[in-house]
């Protein structure tokens, strides 16, 4: 082959290689930026401000801090959210059957066989891609329960109220605690506490102090918060196995955003809703 012919051939090959490279880069970018399938977010059909607002199947214009957080998580991966409001005790079953695609959940390692959740390399739930949450206990100030006590010790023989559907209720009942989870929200539980029907109310919050101002403004010095949380745990954004298999890259991106930005954004949203009359 003549020199000029060889040079032309090499130039042609290089142009083809460049074209293939840029085509591959374009396809990779297009795949990464492709919006995922909208997912059906399941959450409680009960009014639990500031986390969930409104009751029944309809969603108000301002749906609550939790719903707005999950919308922000979805938007970070180019996804959209379709809200599905259900009774609390139906949510996990609906997710397991893929009747909904996602929910914010208090999970444990045994849930990994049923739901798609972020995992460590050792196959355990990954706390770094979840939101830390705090379950605190409010008591009647007149009962004289020391506020620096361990709430589990204080409630070894007392009646502790929790919201209906709280997963912690079944766990503590199995450990021998006297749990009353008949009331659906904090307002009703706090009323039961004031009336002496329960001895404490366990509320799960994004920060331990987030209900303090409300309690003082509403109940004055009648109620107080035990300083030590009953539990420090995490909430994960869980998906159905089917949705995860079809949108794995986007789900992984959402979990990453949740771990990096989720807690700070959740605190902002809760405070924003608490300031809204």
């Amino acid at each position: 082959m003549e020199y000029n012919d060889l040079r032309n051939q090499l130039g042609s090959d290089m142009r083809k290689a460049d074209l293939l490279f840029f085509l591959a880069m374009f396809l990779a970018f297009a795949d990464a930026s492709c919006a995922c399938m909208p997912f059906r977010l399941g959450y409680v059909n009960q009014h639990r401000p500031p986390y969930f607002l409104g009751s029944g199947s309809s969603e108000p214009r301002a749906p609550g801090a939790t719903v707005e957080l999950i919308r922000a998580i979805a938007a970070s991966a180019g996804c959209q959210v379709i809200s599905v409001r259900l009774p609390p005790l139906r949510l996990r079953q609906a997710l397991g059957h893929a009747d909904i695609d996602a929910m914010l959940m208090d999970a444990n390692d045994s849930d990994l066989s049923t739901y798609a959740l972020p995992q460590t390399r050792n196959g355990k739930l990954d706390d770094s891609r979840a939101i830390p949450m705090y379950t605190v206990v409010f008591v009647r100030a007149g009962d004289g329960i020391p506020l620096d006590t361990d709430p589990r010790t204080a409630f070894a023989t007392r009646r502790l109220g929790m919201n209906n559907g709280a997963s912690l209720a079944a766990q503590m009942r199995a450990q021998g605690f006297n749990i009353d989870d008949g009331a659906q929200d904090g307002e009703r539980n706090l009323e039961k506490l004031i009336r002496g029907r329960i001895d404490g109310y366990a509320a799960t919050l994004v920060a331990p102090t987030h209900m303090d101002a409300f309690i003082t403004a509403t109940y004055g010095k009648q109620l107080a918060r035990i300083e030590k949380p009953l539990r420090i745990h995490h909430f994960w954004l869980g998906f159905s196995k089917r949705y995860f298999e079809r949108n794995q890259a986007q789900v992984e991106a959402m979990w990453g955003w949740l771990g990096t930005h989720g807690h700070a954004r959740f605190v902002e949203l809760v405070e924003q809703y608490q300031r809204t009359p």
Side-chain angles (χ1 to χ4, degrees):
M1 181 179 292
E2 296 292 336
Y3 173 75
N4 287 336
D5 292 338
L6 178 60
R7 185 176 64 179
N8 291 337
Q9 181 65 43
L10 287 172
S12 176
D13 290 344
M14 290 178 67
R15 286 192 295 273
K16 289 179 181 177
D18 288 342
L19 178 62
L20 290 173
F21 172 78
F22 285 114
L23 179 60
M25 291 293 291
F26 172 79
L27 291 174
F29 174 79
D31 181 65
S33 61
C34 180
C36 64
M37 295 168 56
F39 65 83
R40 296 164 296 173
L41 167 68
Y43 72 94
V44 295
N45 61 355
Q46 299 171 355
H47 185 64
R48 295 181 178 177
Y51 300 100
F52 306 104
L53 270 59
S55 300
S57 59
S58 62
E59 183 176 77
R61 183 185 59 81
T66 302
V67 182
E68 292 209 30
L69 171 70
I70 297 175
R71 286 178 180 173
I73 296 169
S76 73
C79 303
Q80 293 183 336
V81 172
I82 300 169
S83 297
V84 180
R85 305 195 70 173
L86 295 170
L89 296 177
R90 284 184 52 194
L91 284 167
R92 279 176 163 260
Q93 182 181 45
L95 186 61
H97 292 164
D99 295 328
I100 58 175
D101 301 308
M103 63 177 285
L104 195 67
M105 63 192 305
D106 176 8
N108 55 60
D109 288 333
S110 65
D111 289 319
L112 292 170
S113 61
T114 306
Y115 313 108
L117 293 155
Q119 301 181 41
T120 65
R121 293 182 178 179
N122 297 326
K124 302 293 184 181
L125 280 170
D126 188 354
D127 292 355
S128 69
R129 292 186 284 173
I131 295 176
M133 299 293 290
Y134 304 83
T135 301
V136 299
V137 178
F138 293 94
V139 296
R140 288 182 297 272
D143 287 356
I145 298 175
L147 299 184
D148 60 353
T149 190
D150 185 330
R152 286 181 175 265
T153 301
F155 281 85
T157 57
R158 291 182 171 93
R159 191 172 182 83
L160 183 61
M162 296 184 184
N163 290 344
N164 181 255
S167 58
L168 181 59
Q171 297 171 23
M172 293 195 67
R173 189 176 285 119
Q175 296 168 13
F177 288 89
N178 187 1
I179 303 298
D180 181 339
D181 58 347
Q184 71 176 27
D185 55 32
E187 181 180 357
R188 289 171 175 82
N189 270 302
L190 290 168
E191 181 181 350
K192 290 170 71 172
L193 179 58
I194 288 291
R195 293 177 178 272
R197 295 169 57 191
I198 55 177
D199 302 306
Y201 167 53
T204 296
L205 310 172
V206 72
T209 60
H210 262 184
M211 275 183 67
D212 288 1
F214 167 79
I215 292 294
T216 300
T218 307
Y219 301 100
K221 296 183 179 180
Q222 294 182 81
L223 301 181
R225 174 175 55 84
I226 294 179
E227 295 167 1
K228 181 179 179 180
L230 178 68
R231 181 178 64 154
I232 301 174
H233 57 117
H234 293 82
F235 273 175
W236 285 265
L237 183 58
F239 287 86
S240 70
K241 295 277 191 178
R242 184 170 67 184
Y243 186 89
F244 177 73
E245 289 168 0
R246 297 175 180 179
N247 303 272
Q248 183 170 348
Q250 290 86 356
V251 171
E252 292 283 357
M254 284 187 267
W255 286 337
W257 189 95
L258 177 63
T260 304
H261 306 287
H263 186 254
R265 182 61 181 141
F266 205 12
V267 170
E268 290 174 358
L269 286 167
V270 168
E271 292 176 348
Q272 174 185 317
Y273 270 87
Q274 287 177 330
R275 289 193 300 267
T276 303

